[in-house]
Amino acid sequence: MKKIYLFSTALVLATVAGLYGLNHYRAVKKDQQQQVASLLASCVNQGILTLFRLQTNDWRARPDFYRQQEETLSTTARQLPQKILHGEPFKKWKYAVKICEQLSRNSNLQHITIFKPLGKFSPSEFSGPRQLKKRKFLHKRERMIGALMESAQAASRYLPDLRRDINTQLQEYGFSDAEKTYIFQRINADVLDFYQPGNFSAKKAETYLKRISAFNKLLAKNHGKYTVRGNSLYFYDQNLRSQVLDLNRAILQGEGPFFADYTQIVVQKQIPVQP
């Protein structure tokens, strides 16, 4: 009888210890999962905050501003892990750090694709009459228009591309479906639910760029039919002069809206306060 009692007691103690160990394990795993999600949500948020700073830049005044923001985002991403981690680094944490670094690199590449052409396109001398007389310059401007077309497409799909990048990185590092679901829920709740695509229109941007391309091609085709007089182009043919003036007028009218469009790639969502 005594042996049975001792055996029962040992079994109960072992069960309690096992349950305690299981609960402790679950608590540790939950805490680790929360730390991973917190790091990645913070990382995504820093990328979007960088975009907002770039959106508000005056590209005519600061054409290289994207370089400064590239360094700022890279530095911030490197500092995030030490601010968020408590305890010793664990396997999935190390993966999350690498994902954060990659997400930041990809955000910087996306920002360069979108904004670098704007910086190169903005100086007033880019459309100066003496420049427009040079064939080499017209070819250069045509290449710039191609870069701006790519910029417009990248700007129009900014948030979908970001979501796809997050999913790709989690998939690559072997996070389970349950882990991915939890991390995405945290990133959405902490960051992405507060933002939405703005009124940026790739179609409007492309319409403006096509007008500049048509202007370029018209000048290139009629290179010997105009010259520079004073600080403007002089066209020998009245019909050509009229075509150029009409195109140039449309381009000048569209310049302000074109640059303004890039201030609303992503906007902050107005979330109603729950009663």
Side-chain angles (χ1 to χ4, degrees):
M1 188 72 179
K2 186 176 180 181
K3 289 183 179 180
I4 295 175
Y5 174 77
L6 290 174
F7 176 76
S8 299
T9 301
L11 182 61
V12 169
L13 290 174
T15 302
V16 170
L19 289 173
Y20 174 81
L22 180 61
N23 289 336
H24 177 70
Y25 172 79
R26 287 174 176 172
V28 169
K29 295 298 289 185
K30 183 178 180 180
D31 178 67
Q32 290 180 348
Q33 195 174 54
Q34 288 174 342
Q35 290 189 66
V36 166
S38 181
L39 173 60
L40 294 180
S42 297
C43 191
V44 170
N45 191 51
Q46 288 301 320
I48 294 181
L49 291 177
T50 300
L51 173 71
F52 269 78
R53 288 191 290 272
L54 290 164
Q55 285 186 158
T56 60
N57 182 53
D58 181 350
W59 294 100
R60 299 171 184 85
R62 295 190 296 179
D64 293 329
F65 185 59
Y66 67 91
R67 295 183 186 277
Q68 175 190 325
Q69 291 305 307
E70 179 184 8
E71 180 59 33
T72 298
L73 178 55
S74 297
T75 300
T76 302
R78 287 195 297 268
Q79 294 172 345
L80 281 175
Q82 63 193 44
K83 294 180 179 179
I84 295 173
L85 177 66
H86 56 84
E88 293 298 318
F90 46 93
K91 183 178 179 180
K92 289 295 175 72
W93 173 262
K94 293 176 182 178
Y95 290 166
V97 171
K98 291 181 180 178
I99 291 174
C100 180
E101 291 171 353
Q102 189 60 52
L103 288 175
S104 298
R105 278 195 294 270
N106 291 348
S107 287
N108 275 329
L109 290 173
Q110 190 80 325
H111 297 158
I112 289 169
T113 299
I114 295 170
F115 295 107
K116 183 179 180 180
L118 282 184
K120 286 185 173 294
F121 190 68
S122 58
S124 58
E125 62 266 21
F126 198 77
S127 56
R130 296 192 181 280
Q131 295 280 60
L132 293 173
K133 182 61 179 168
K134 301 174 183 176
R135 287 182 184 273
K136 185 177 180 180
F137 178 76
L138 292 175
H139 289 310
K140 177 182 177 183
R141 196 158 86 149
E142 198 64 31
R143 290 196 302 271
M144 180 55 61
I145 291 168
L148 284 165
M149 288 284 194
E150 185 180 349
S151 162
Q153 287 300 318
S156 69
R157 59 175 190 262
Y158 188 88
L159 286 178
D161 278 357
L162 176 58
R163 290 180 183 276
R164 192 176 300 110
D165 191 21
I166 296 168
N167 184 64
T168 298
Q169 298 304 322
L170 291 174
Q171 189 75 31
E172 184 174 331
Y173 281 94
F175 284 85
S176 68
D177 288 343
E179 289 171 326
K180 286 193 295 183
T181 298
Y182 175 77
I183 292 169
F184 259 115
Q185 287 175 343
R186 278 287 306 275
I187 292 174
N188 285 326
D190 293 355
V191 182
L192 295 179
D193 283 350
F194 293 90
Y195 301 107
Q196 65 186 16
N199 293 323
F200 179 86
S201 170
K203 185 176 181 179
K204 288 181 180 178
E206 288 172 357
T207 298
Y208 172 74
L209 294 169
K210 285 176 181 177
R211 287 173 180 164
I212 300 176
S213 181
F215 182 85
N216 270 13
K217 290 172 182 175
L218 189 62
L219 292 181
K221 183 179 178 181
N222 297 278
H223 190 260
K225 298 181 181 180
Y226 65 94
T227 188
V228 178
R229 289 189 179 178
N231 197 34
S232 61
L233 296 178
Y234 177 79
F235 296 88
Y236 305 119
D237 181 77
Q238 178 64 40
N239 183 51
L240 177 59
R241 184 186 310 162
S242 178
Q243 290 181 64
V244 170
L245 287 175
D246 287 345
L247 268 174
N248 192 51
R249 189 179 299 111
I251 290 168
L252 290 175
Q253 289 173 349
E255 181 180 354
F258 174 76
F259 280 100
D261 222 18
Y262 277 86
T263 66
Q264 47 188 347
I265 297 170
V266 173
V267 297
Q268 191 164 6
K269 187 188 298 185
Q270 298 298 318
I271 300 179
V273 178
Q274 297 296 326

